[in-house]
Amino acid sequence: DDHDELEWFPNGRCSDFIKGNNMESKISIRNNKREDLDSSENIKVLVDAFYTRVQQNEILAPVFDQTINDWSEHLPKMYLFWESLLFGTGEYSGNPFQKHVALPIEAQHFQTWLQLFLKTVDQHFEGEKANQAKESAKTIANVFQRKMGIAS
């Protein structure tokens, strides 16, 4: 069962938020058939699964541990970001680049972030919006690296 592969945030950093929003039962592949990334619920599945992986990653976790104080504030922003990007909702307001420019990150952080994101999308979703999310993530990583003067 693919659901069993998904591990939760260590030390309860985010698990209480996910459980409180009943995401635990939603983070799974329904009957081994991957849906498209075409609903707010599926965006939440993606974001929660992705950040679970981030928090367990030896390269990315230290950066996020220094930066994110409250996952219950960060995750809803990421839901809005991806909904705005994929569905054109316009509900996200912020400047993602400015949030990242001062972080202690290098090319390996972007490569790892992108690999984890693509793997998470592929594990849970397939279709037009899933492909759009993967292409958007590649573009974001490339643009941020270029603007930050980081060679990939």
Side-chain angles (χ1 to χ4, degrees):
D1 182 24
D2 288 317
H3 179 76
D4 294 334
E5 285 182 26
L6 190 62
E7 298 176 27
W8 299 104
F9 285 82
N11 305 321
R13 283 183 261 185
C14 185
S15 62
D16 291 341
F17 177 75
I18 292 171
K19 287 177 186 174
N21 286 289
N22 197 27
M23 292 311 298
E24 230 177 335
S25 62
K26 296 176 183 176
I27 300 179
S28 64
I29 298 174
R30 294 144 188 97
N31 301 321
N32 291 325
K33 179 183 179 252
R34 293 180 293 158
E35 300 177 7
D36 198 0
L37 189 54
D38 58 1
S39 69
S40 293
E41 178 181 302
N42 285 348
I43 292 289
K44 289 178 182 179
V45 169
L46 171 65
V47 168
D48 291 342
F50 172 67
Y51 282 106
T52 295
R53 286 189 165 139
V54 164
Q55 285 298 301
Q56 295 171 351
N57 183 273
E58 63 187 25
I59 294 170
L60 297 178
V63 175
F64 280 85
D65 288 345
Q66 292 173 20
T67 308
I68 305 298
N69 296 317
D70 186 353
W71 284 98
S72 68
E73 289 181 15
H74 184 69
L75 292 175
K77 290 176 187 174
M78 295 300 91
Y79 305 151
L80 291 177
F81 174 80
W82 285 102
E83 287 175 10
S84 292
L85 201 58
L86 296 177
F87 309 145
T89 63
E91 292 185 35
Y92 175 80
S93 63
N95 185 331
F97 179 73
Q98 287 303 318
K99 301 281 185 185
H100 293 82
V101 71
L103 296 177
I105 51 181
E106 300 172 359
Q108 72 172 8
H109 294 95
F110 283 102
Q111 293 163 2
T112 302
W113 178 88
L114 186 57
Q115 289 169 351
L116 289 180
F117 188 85
L118 299 177
K119 182 177 179 180
T120 305
V121 172
D122 286 341
Q123 181 181 5
H124 293 278
F125 304 101
E126 63 185 351
E128 182 181 337
K129 290 293 183 184
N131 290 337
Q132 183 182 344
K134 292 188 295 185
E135 290 305 312
S136 294
K138 291 174 189 176
T139 300
I140 290 166
N142 288 334
V143 168
F144 278 26
Q145 286 182 94
R146 189 176 68 248
K147 288 176 82 172
M148 294 169 80
I150 298 171
S152 56

